[in-house]
């Protein structure tokens, strides 16, 4: 089960309705806040598998922190199809 959690897949997890800022708080709870800038442009409720999405987003942020010595951005916006959560780094990218 731990490997599944680390990979962002949690078997049988029910979707939970929660405010976007709370979801982002889950993601940030184990990360260095001094290197992450958060811009939450919505207070929408999302219905998601909370642990799985938090773990997947945390993995993206960790990857971005490794790719960039500077600030990593988390940007959350309402879009016509729902809610967009973006993790942005300014690292060199892949060849």
């Amino acid at each position: 089960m731990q490997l599944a959690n680390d990979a962002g897949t949690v078997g049988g997890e029910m979707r939970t309705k929660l405010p976007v800022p709370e979801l982002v708080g889950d993601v940030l709870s184990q990360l260095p806040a001094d290197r992450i800038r958060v811009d939450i442009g919505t207070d929408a409720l999302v219905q998601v598998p909370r642990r799985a999405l938090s773990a997947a987003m945390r993995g993206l942020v960790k990857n971005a922190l490794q790719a960039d010595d500077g600030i990593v951005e988390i940007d959350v916006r309402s879009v016509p199809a729902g809610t967009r959560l973006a993790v942005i780094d300014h690292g060199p990218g892949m060849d």
Side-chain angles (χ1 to χ4, degrees), residues 42-91:
T42 181
D43 58 357
L45 292 175
V46 292
Q47 189 166 348
V48 297
R50 183 177 189 157
R51 290 185 323 210
L53 184 56
S54 294
M57 286 186 61
R58 192 174 303 111
L60 290 171
V61 174
K62 284 181 179 179
N63 181 280
L65 289 167
Q66 291 171 355
D68 185 354
D69 291 336
I71 299 296
V72 169
E73 302 170 54
I74 298 175
D75 184 72
V76 185
R77 298 280 173 246
S78 289
V79 295
T83 302
R84 182 194 72 197
L85 300 116
V87 176
I88 305 157
D89 70 60
H90 303 282

Side-chain angles (χ1 to χ4, degrees), residues 2-52:
Q2 185 59 44
L3 288 176
N5 282 337
D6 292 344
T9 58
V10 181
E13 182 180 2
M14 299 295 293
R15 292 176 178 259
T16 303
K17 189 177 282 192
L18 68 153
V20 168
E22 190 173 328
L23 175 64
V24 173
D26 287 354
V27 172
L28 298 178
S29 68
Q30 301 171 12
L31 297 172
D34 61 324
R35 292 200 44 220
I36 302 169
R37 180 175 44 217
V38 178
D39 186 1
I40 301 176
T42 181
D43 58 357
L45 292 175
V46 292
Q47 189 166 348
V48 297
R50 183 177 189 157
R51 290 185 323 210

